Amino acid sequence: NKSNLEMKKNLYNYGTITNNKTFTTQYELHNYNLLTNNNTFTISGLYKNYKLNESNSDSVDLSGIKGRLINNHNTSFTTGNLYNCGLIDNDSLLTITANMVNDSYGIVENSLQFTLNGPAVLTNKNQLTNTGTILNNNLITNDYGALNGTITSTGTITNNGTINNKYNMTSNI
């Protein structure tokens, strides 16, 4: 989009979305393929990144494809839930004020600023890699999943809340 985009219904993305202006929604966004954010993206509904080769009710062939969010600008998840079974590449400001699950297939790579605010809870069941800054203002749980949660940080983690490490965490903190 090159103009403001406000979703008025649930969206199932099997292709490519590139946001170059302002993208807001309070509805569900199901991302099976690629969403690139180059400007302001605010979601207050469910956002779900799907795993590799995920099936879908529309019978779209997704062989070799997984949901991926590339964040190059400000993204805010204000309410609802963020459920990641795919890949989140954060190269800008990512603010979570909703619950987030990085599930057994999910990978989160943060190279700039990842902030967990307010009532937000992050549950990591696979892989979270930080080379930037994570600011935790509530609760991060590094939990067991199919592949077991791993948090690796060569960047900075500022903890103003609680980190509950049940599996594997390597950090410079």
Side-chain angles (χ1 to χ4, degrees):
N1 74 313
K2 294 184 181 184
S3 187
N4 293 336
L5 175 64
E6 182 178 354
M7 277 178 30
K8 300 282 188 178
K9 290 187 175 186
N10 295 346
L11 175 66
Y12 295 82
N13 177 40
Y14 302 116
T16 299
I17 295 173
T18 303
N19 176 46
N20 292 314
K21 195 73 172 176
T22 300
F23 187 160
T24 58
T25 185
Q26 62 184 3
Y27 295 92
E28 296 177 7
L29 200 160
H30 298 265
N31 186 37
Y32 290 85
N33 199 339
L34 178 61
L35 191 154
T36 302
N37 179 49
N38 296 322
N39 209 310
T40 302
F41 178 39
T42 304
I43 185 165
S44 57
L46 170 72
Y47 177 89
K48 186 169 182 182
N49 256 356
Y50 286 85
K51 68 181 181 182
L52 184 68
N53 303 325
E54 183 71 61
S55 61
N56 60 83
S57 60
D58 294 318
S59 300
V60 175
D61 181 9
L62 297 170
S63 299
I65 298 172
K66 68 178 163 186
R68 183 176 184 192
L69 169 64
I70 299 173
N71 184 44
N72 296 320
H73 201 270
N74 299 343
T75 296
S76 296
F77 292 91
T78 57
T79 57
N81 290 308
L82 168 58
Y83 189 79
N84 182 47
C85 289
L87 176 61
I88 295 175
D89 289 316
N90 183 48
D91 300 319
S92 188
L93 303 176
L94 178 62
T95 303
I96 310 290
T97 312
N99 290 328
M100 176 179 174
V101 175
N102 189 42
D103 211 353
S104 297
Y105 298 97
I107 297 172
V108 176
E109 297 177 348
N110 176 56
S111 62
L112 193 62
Q113 173 98 21
F114 181 106
T115 302
L116 197 64
N117 276 336
V121 175
L122 166 60
T123 303
N124 179 51
K125 294 185 177 186
N126 192 24
Q127 179 181 337
L128 190 154
T129 302
N130 176 49
T131 57
T133 299
I134 293 176
L135 176 59
N136 177 34
N137 292 316
N138 195 29
L139 175 61
I140 295 174
T141 298
N142 193 41
D143 208 348
Y144 295 99
L147 303 174
N148 295 317
T150 300
I151 296 176
T152 304
S153 180
T154 57
T156 301
I157 297 176
T158 301
N159 184 34
N160 297 320
T162 301
I163 297 175
N164 184 7
N165 186 35
K166 295 181 180 179
Y167 194 68
N168 186 18
M169 182 172 174
T170 305
S171 179
N172 290 338
I173 62 171

